[in-house]
Each structure stands twice: as C-alpha cells, then as structure tokens.
Amino acid sequence: MEKSESVLEEIQSYKGAGKEIREAISSPTEEARQKAWAAVIPLVAKLRRCYEFSMELEAVVPKILARLCAGPHSPSHNLETQQALVKQLAQVLEFVLKFDEHKMRTPAIQNDFSYYRRTLSRRRMSSRGPPPGDEYRGEDGDSELGIDSSDHLGHSLLDVEDTVTNELANRMSLFYAHATPMLKVLSEATTRFVAENADIPIENTTETLGTMAKVCLRMLESPNLLAQFEREETQLFVLRVMVGLVILYDHVHPQGAFVKASNVDVKGCVKLLKDQPPARSEGLLNALRYTTKHLNEEGTPRNIKNLLAA
C-alpha cells in the first residue's frame, strides 16, 4: 500500500494529450506529429505503472483472503482477531474504488493509448517498408497519421518497445477498456481464489466479505458512530470499502449479492449511497451498476434494479 499513493497521484494528475493529438490529426506535419508523440510517451509510461500495480494487487489479495477465510476458526473469529489485516484489505478496496473513480472521469486515457497504439503500428510498418505503391492505413482507415521512414520523432522503435511492448500494450488495452479496471482485477482475483482453494468452504469467503460489509453499513447508519468520525474522509473511506465488499461478494457468491437470501443488505447500502451528495456517491453507484455480476439477472428484485437505474 505504500505505492498506492503514488499510483493514485499518477491517475489524479493525468492531463492527457488531446490537444497535441488533435493538432497532429488536423495538421499532420512532421512538427505536429513529433509534438504529439512526445506528449503521449510519458503518459503511456504512467499508464504502464498503474497497470503493473494492478498486477501486484492481484497477487496479494488472495494471500490476505487466505489468512482471513482459512483455518479452524470461524470467519467472525478471524475478523475479530486479525483486525490489522482486515484494515489492510479495507485500504486495498479504498484504493481500488478511488482509482476507478478517477479513471471513469478521464476519457483521455483510452484516447491517448489508442493514438499510441495506432502510431506504433505505423512505425513498425514503416520500419518494414510498405509494398511498392501501397500506402499503409491504420485500423481506422486514416492515413494522415501515417509515419514514413523519414520520420524522426525523438524515440527509436527500440526505445518505445522498452516503454510498452506490443504484448503488454494488448493487455493494457484490455485493462483500460473497462469502466472500472482495478475492480475488475480484484473481482477476478477473488473469484479465482475461491476456485483454486477448494479446501476453503466458499461460505467462509462470502461470510467474511458479507460481515465486513454489514459492519460498514452499521457504522454509516449510526449517528453516534458517524459523530466519532473526525474527518469527512473517514466516512468516504467506509463508503468505498462497503461498495467494494458488495461487489466482491456478488462475484463470489453463486447467487450473488442481490437475491433475498443474500448475506448483504444491498438495498440498505444503495439507499445510504442515494442519501449522499451526488459528487460523493455517483462514482460508487456506477461501480455497482457496471462492475457487479448479477445485477441484471432475473433473480434481482425489481426495487433494487430501480434504485440503481442510472
């Protein structure tokens, strides 16, 4: 988690290269292309660092879950006796929700990365040389960004591949294509944890996640407990953690979090979010809308679907 602050800073301070890219498209001079390429390269390096951090989280979260869900004791006992580890899992969830909130508000990420991949593809084609009399066109059919062998954009193809190889670019593209990429990674890691640890009853994992979500909801619904929060950020922390837990529970439980038999009061969670100012709640409501697994299934009560309607 020591790295998480710098990763959040990367995404919070992300400005994008939209202006330079638009100029390179509308006026495809050597100078404009060079300026756009120079603007995009450091941004792609930022995106790579964020993506690689998601891989670190993917590796560590199953280890935390194993300590909280395995062993001879009940999940409640483990939660009670390993509160420091519970707090660490909560901090992971808060980071993930924070990151995805910023990502959803930054469409420049996908635009920049798309431009990077198109340009890189053209550079590779120009280094091999197009067939005689043939002009290479990118996947979008435009040629104004085409780069010929006379281009000198300040970065050799080898330098660029040191930044992001083609294989890594494919993985990053899939990662950033999702509305909430960090949550997707975390959800898949949790699902995989359950599938690969048949010796740990699935009920242990769902009870662990469900109990933590209940505690969060109880804290937020209690005026006395809320009064003890010295900073508004603490309340936001608990809100994010609660939403993250509901999403993970929905991915792990066979019937999901929305059915009546669920161990999570999703209706209470959503109503609580709806009572918050939109600036505080909209990103979290979107995470529930777009990252849960069972929301749109027939078994989900209509009142919950209506509550979560965008």
Side-chain angles (χ1 to χ4, degrees):
M1 293 315 298
E2 288 175 1
K3 285 187 189 176
S4 68
E5 287 303 316
S6 63
V7 173
L8 273 180
E9 175 60 27
E10 299 273 32
I11 199 81
Q12 285 170 340
S13 62
Y14 195 96
K15 300 299 182 188
K19 180 174 177 286
E20 292 85 351
I21 291 171
R22 284 193 297 274
E23 288 175 359
I25 292 173
S26 61
S27 176
T29 63
E30 167 74 11
E31 183 183 358
R33 291 200 299 260
Q34 183 171 348
K35 192 175 177 182
W37 189 243
V40 164
I41 286 295
L43 293 173
V44 170
K46 275 190 174 197
L47 295 178
R48 174 179 179 163
R49 288 192 289 273
C50 294
Y51 170 76
E52 288 177 341
F53 187 68
S54 79
M55 298 298 97
E56 292 185 48
L57 285 187
E58 184 179 40
V60 78
V61 165
K63 296 178 182 178
I64 298 176
L65 290 172
R67 292 300 295 268
L68 293 176
C69 303
H73 301 293
S74 68
S76 297
H77 178 273
N78 290 342
L79 290 173
E80 184 66 35
T81 57
Q82 301 191 68
Q83 291 186 21
L85 197 57
V86 171
K87 185 179 179 183
Q88 293 285 48
L89 178 58
Q91 287 176 330
V92 169
L93 286 167
E94 186 202 27
F95 161 79
V96 165
L97 268 295
K98 270 185 172 181
F99 182 95
D100 284 351
E101 283 172 28
H102 288 296
K103 190 270 175 184
M104 280 194 280
R105 294 199 294 264
T106 316
I109 287 174
Q110 284 168 276
N111 296 337
D112 294 345
F113 199 65
S114 177
Y115 176 84
Y116 168 82
R117 297 193 75 196
R118 288 201 309 270
T119 307
L120 188 58
S121 175
R122 290 177 174 86
R123 286 168 70 83
R124 288 202 177 95
M125 288 294 291
S126 68
S127 68
R128 289 196 295 269
D134 190 21
E135 179 188 38
Y136 174 68
R137 293 177 179 269
E139 65 241 39
D140 52 0
D142 62 342
S143 61
E144 70 270 39
L145 296 178
I147 296 177
D148 59 38
S149 57
S150 64
D151 281 324
H152 302 285
L153 299 186
H155 296 270
S156 74
L157 203 55
L158 189 60
D159 291 336
V160 172
E161 290 195 332
D162 284 342
T163 304
V164 175
T165 63
N166 198 40
E167 182 188 351
L168 179 57
N170 289 337
R171 296 201 304 270
M172 286 174 60
S173 185
L174 289 171
F175 175 77
Y176 287 110
H178 290 279
T180 52
M182 287 284 180
L183 263 173
K184 184 173 188 297
V185 166
L186 209 60
S187 300
E188 289 178 348
T190 307
T191 303
R192 209 159 41 245
F193 164 77
V194 171
E196 293 175 358
N197 292 275
D199 56 319
I200 302 175
I202 190 172
E203 294 79 15
N204 285 20
T205 306
T206 53
E207 187 181 333
T208 297
L209 299 172
T211 301
M212 287 179 68
K214 279 181 184 175
V215 170
C216 290
L217 182 59
R218 198 175 304 132
M219 290 170 71
L220 293 164
E221 285 181 333
S222 168
N224 291 336
L225 288 173
L226 278 177
Q228 295 177 28
F229 293 164
E230 294 180 2
R231 299 182 302 124
E232 183 184 358
E233 183 61 28
T234 307
Q235 186 176 351
L236 268 170
F237 168 76
V238 181
L239 274 171
R240 291 190 187 102
V241 173
M242 178 186 73
V243 169
L245 290 163
V246 170
I247 291 168
L248 293 188
Y249 183 100
D250 187 59
H251 277 264
V252 170
H253 195 282
Q255 282 80 48
F258 300 100
V259 294
K260 290 181 179 178
S262 164
N263 197 30
V264 178
D265 181 7
V266 175
K267 185 178 178 182
C269 293
V270 175
K271 281 189 169 181
L272 185 79
L273 285 169
K274 288 276 192 174
D275 289 338
Q276 308 296 318
R280 177 186 292 187
S281 64
E282 196 57 29
L284 298 175
L285 288 167
N286 281 338
L288 288 171
R289 289 169 185 138
Y290 305 127
T291 316
T292 46
K293 184 179 178 182
H294 296 88
L295 174 61
N296 295 314
E297 293 184 358
E298 287 185 14
T300 300
R302 186 170 294 278
N303 61 340
I304 290 179
K305 286 184 179 179
N306 291 339
L307 269 176
L308 273 173

